[in-house]
């Protein structure tokens, strides 16, 4: 088993399939992508495993709850968003992970039968001074249902490998 890199500067070059690097995320750029159909079965499966609150599992309980009918967990909505991001660009990027999300809200519930898509806008993009081959990208992402309603809004940071350039003198 190979030893893990000691720093992000020691990582191997991105795979040949990595088409997107830090330089491809330009402040102000907006990408729209995804088509995710929410099924009743998926809502129930996720809830059974990870968020077994009654309004995510039972129609009768959901009818008397705030949403009025069976609703997907907000965490399930996050998972669906992650899948759309992977399919749209992360699996084709020199992604190095994320230190986290700074802001996350679910302003509208997600219901079985909804069809979701995403819109992501680059808010900030800068190289890391301490790791010259790594760039930081801050994005605002929204998941939108078939009615144009925002069902998830988040702002977070991702790290991406930069294209091979000479490191700064130092």
């Amino acid at each position: 088993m190979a030893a893990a890199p000691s720093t992000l500067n020691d990582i191997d070059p991105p795979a040949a399939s990595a088409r997107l690097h830090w330089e491809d995320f330009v402040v102000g750029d907006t990408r729209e992508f995804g088509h995710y159909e929410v099924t009743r079965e998926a809502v129930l499966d996720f809830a059974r495993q990870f968020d077994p609150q009654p309004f995510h599992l039972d129609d009768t309980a959901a009818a008397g709850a705030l949403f009025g009918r069976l609703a997907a967990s907000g965490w399930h909505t996050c998972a669906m968003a992650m899948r759309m991001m992977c399919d749209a660009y992360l699996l084709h990027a020199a992604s190095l992970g994320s230190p986290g999300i700074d802001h996350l809200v679910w302003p509208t519930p997600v219901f079985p039968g909804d069809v979701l898509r995403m819109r992501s806008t680059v808010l900030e993009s800068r190289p890391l001074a301490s790791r010259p081959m790594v760039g930081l990208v801050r994005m605002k992402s929204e998941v939108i249902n078939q009615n144009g309603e925002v069902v998830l809004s988040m702002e977070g940071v991702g790290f991406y490998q930069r294209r091979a350039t000479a490191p700064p003198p130092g």
Side-chain angles (χ1 to χ4, degrees), residues 80-151:
M80 292 183 279
M82 188 70 208
R83 183 61 202 228
M84 286 188 280
M85 289 186 292
C86 283
D87 290 346
Y89 66 92
L90 284 174
L91 296 179
H92 310 290
S95 172
L96 300 172
S98 170
I101 294 173
D102 299 321
H103 174 77
L104 171 66
V105 295
W106 302 295
T108 304
V110 171
F111 300 111
D114 282 354
V115 178
L116 308 177
R117 62 185 168 85
M118 288 193 74
R119 177 175 49 232
S120 293
T121 302
V122 177
L123 302 176
E124 176 186 5
S125 181
R126 63 178 172 82
L128 294 182
S130 62
R131 296 182 173 105
M133 290 305 296
V134 177
L136 172 147
V137 177
R138 178 177 305 280
M139 297 180 95
K140 177 180 182 179
S141 296
E142 296 174 312
V143 176
I144 303 157
N145 68 16
Q146 71 281 356
N147 300 319
E149 300 167 311
V150 174
V151 300

